[in-house]
Amino acid sequence: MEANKGKGDQGMQNPSGQVDRPVSFHFLESMLPKAVKRRVHALKRLQVQCANIEAKFYEEVHELERKYAALYQPLFDKRRDIVTGTVEPTDEECEWHSDRDEEEELAEEVKEKAAIEDAKKEEATPEEDPKGIPEFWLTIFKSVDMLSDMLQEHDEPILKHLKDIQVKFSEPGEPMSFTLEFHFEPNGYFNNAVLTKVYKMKSEPDPSDPFSFEGPEIIDCEGCQIDWHKGKDVTVKTIKKKQKHKGRGTVRTVTKQVPNDSFFNFFNPVKAPPDGEMDEDSEFTLATDFEIGHFFRERIVPRAVLYFTGEALEDDESFEEEELEEGEEEEQDEEGDDDDDEGDFDPKKEQPQPAECKQQ
């Protein structure tokens, strides 16, 4: 099962630039003169060699990620200590100059109003200063659509005890993988201090389809066993069912446990079968799991504070809007091409320019 799908089969383009229906490349190749076809085969062999070199490149990128993860970790540890209230940052560490002047002016107005209110309530008991940043990770889970879709109401009290999420990369010489570690403070739900999810990867072209290689792919994932306290397992629910005896007609009530929707099912993933054949639902579930793993690794963990404040969400939405606008522009261009075909060509009219490629 592959996590990163290709960009899809592209239709062959005719000389006018319009996309026709996909044409069999094998058919086109068979139409080439024998001498030309022979040279094309040589180019394909070169292309396979390029794919093998690219695979080695990504292996080195993985090692570079592992190296820099060690440099990031002290900063992430400090983030965890501030979130949990273990460390109180200094005044200097808390200095932050906002680029938004309106927000600064509003903050000053709020401070003035607060000072007036404080003067009026000198005898009032001051509020207790909360420890650290309460519900830091839970707030992120509830804000990000991909995670909130997994989140159930009964998960929230547990995730209030989540104090950190870390990414660990495989060591040199080991198969390529990364591990998500969810660190919890002692709680009344399970005994585990850390819940883990391992994503196994490969960075090598598929011998049967080497030209589809586009970089490392997640090929499997492995969760962990959660040591739930008695009666606290939110991944199952107990139901009562009445059963009637066929002969005597007596009725008895039996109880049984059935699966229950929960974020913590994340740690009991669908397993990819050795033969690679899965039903459509399982394939979709596993692909979604891989996507979530990538999102934790690439976005949530490195930029957690920005997802807490919502700033990263604004960036993600802006990117999606830009992609949509680009697609709409292409559609309008195609309609314009149809109009041009109906009328005479006017060289004085400005021709549409190709859209710029956008990178995240």
Side-chain angles (χ1 to χ4, degrees):
M1 181 64 198
E2 298 179 355
N4 301 335
K5 298 293 184 183
K7 298 181 180 179
D9 294 332
Q10 302 294 323
M12 293 295 294
Q13 291 189 343
N14 61 27
S16 64
Q18 295 181 351
V19 179
D20 289 334
R21 295 179 180 178
V23 180
S24 169
F25 293 101
H26 296 294
F27 174 75
L28 291 179
E29 194 172 309
S30 67
M31 299 297 290
L32 295 174
K34 186 175 181 179
V36 175
K37 188 194 305 184
R38 178 174 173 274
R39 294 164 195 145
V40 168
H41 290 171
L43 295 185
K44 285 188 174 182
R45 288 177 62 88
L46 293 175
Q47 191 63 42
V48 171
Q49 294 178 45
C50 288
N52 289 326
I53 292 174
E54 186 179 7
K56 295 298 181 183
F57 165 78
Y58 283 114
E59 288 179 5
E60 293 195 23
V61 168
H62 184 75
E63 291 303 311
L64 198 60
E65 284 184 305
R66 188 181 60 81
K67 172 186 173 182
Y68 275 86
L71 301 178
Y72 286 125
Q73 196 55 50
L75 303 178
F76 293 156
D77 289 343
K78 185 68 174 289
R79 177 179 71 186
R80 176 203 60 213
D81 292 341
I82 293 175
V83 166
T84 59
T86 307
V87 168
E88 183 63 33
T90 64
D91 290 342
E92 182 181 356
E93 290 174 329
C94 293
E95 286 185 3
W96 180 255
H97 302 287
S98 174
D99 294 332
R100 304 178 181 180
D101 296 335
E102 293 182 2
E103 288 186 4
E104 292 177 356
E105 292 175 5
L106 181 60
E108 289 299 325
E109 292 178 6
V110 171
K111 288 180 182 178
E112 291 177 6
K113 291 180 180 179
I116 295 173
E117 291 296 326
D118 289 341
K120 292 180 180 179
K121 300 178 181 179
E122 290 180 357
E123 297 180 0
T125 304
E127 285 188 18
E128 183 181 351
D129 187 18
K131 182 182 178 181
I133 304 179
E135 302 183 11
F136 179 79
W137 291 103
L138 175 58
T139 301
I140 294 173
F141 272 66
K142 294 168 73 173
S143 301
V144 177
D145 289 343
M146 187 182 295
L147 304 183
S148 65
D149 289 344
M150 305 166 62
L151 190 65
Q152 305 298 319
E153 187 175 349
H154 47 253
D155 295 326
E156 295 185 18
I158 308 175
L159 289 172
K160 289 180 180 179
H161 297 283
L162 179 59
K163 61 182 184 180
D164 198 20
I165 304 176
Q166 298 182 11
V167 180
K168 303 293 184 182
F169 295 91
S170 54
E171 294 296 326
E174 295 181 351
M176 185 182 294
S177 69
F178 68 91
T179 302
L180 299 177
E181 296 183 349
F182 294 74
H183 294 250
F184 287 84
E185 60 188 13
N187 60 81
Y189 296 92
F190 47 72
N191 293 317
N192 310 64
V194 182
L195 300 181
T196 60
K197 184 75 169 285
V198 180
Y199 286 90
K200 301 175 183 179
M201 308 174 69
K202 73 170 185 178
S203 181
E204 57 186 32
D206 184 345
S208 63
D209 187 16
F211 304 133
S212 66
F213 180 73
E214 292 186 345
E217 299 170 341
I218 296 177
I219 55 173
D220 197 8
C221 57
E222 185 176 315
C224 67
Q225 185 72 33
I226 302 179
D227 185 14
W228 294 100
H229 292 171
K230 186 176 181 180
K232 296 294 186 179
D233 187 349
V234 295
T235 65
V236 295
K237 60 183 177 181
T238 302
I239 62 172
K240 294 182 179 181
K241 189 175 182 180
K242 291 183 178 180
Q243 292 181 342
K244 186 176 181 180
H245 194 280
K246 292 182 179 179
R248 294 191 297 269
T250 56
V251 177
R252 67 174 182 174
T253 301
V254 296
T255 60
K256 65 176 183 177
Q257 288 188 329
V258 296
N260 192 29
D261 290 337
S262 169
F263 163 73
F264 291 91
N265 289 320
F266 180 70
F267 299 98
N268 184 27
V270 173
K271 296 296 294 179
D275 58 8
E277 292 189 8
M278 303 179 69
D279 60 74
E280 189 174 342
D281 289 341
S282 297
E283 188 172 334
F284 176 79
T285 300
L286 195 58
T288 301
D289 192 324
F290 292 171
E291 184 180 0
I292 292 168
H294 266 304
F295 196 72
F296 270 117
R297 168 189 166 180
E298 300 289 344
R299 305 288 292 174
I300 296 293
V301 173
R303 298 162 58 85
V305 66
L306 301 181
Y307 281 97
F308 177 79
T309 61
E311 293 166 83
L313 296 173
E314 293 177 1
D315 291 343
D316 290 346
E317 289 172 359
S318 297
F319 177 77
E320 290 174 1
E321 288 175 1
E322 288 176 3
E323 290 294 326
L324 180 61
E325 289 171 1
E326 181 180 346
E328 290 177 346
E329 181 181 345
E330 290 174 355
E331 184 177 347
Q332 291 173 358
D333 288 346
E334 290 177 3
E335 293 176 356
D337 290 341
D338 292 338
D339 293 340
D340 290 344
D341 290 341
E342 293 177 2
D344 294 334
F345 174 72
D346 187 350
K348 295 181 180 179
K349 290 184 179 180
E350 183 180 356
Q351 298 302 310
Q353 298 300 315
E356 296 181 356
C357 296
K358 293 183 174 62
Q359 296 182 351
Q360 187 170 358

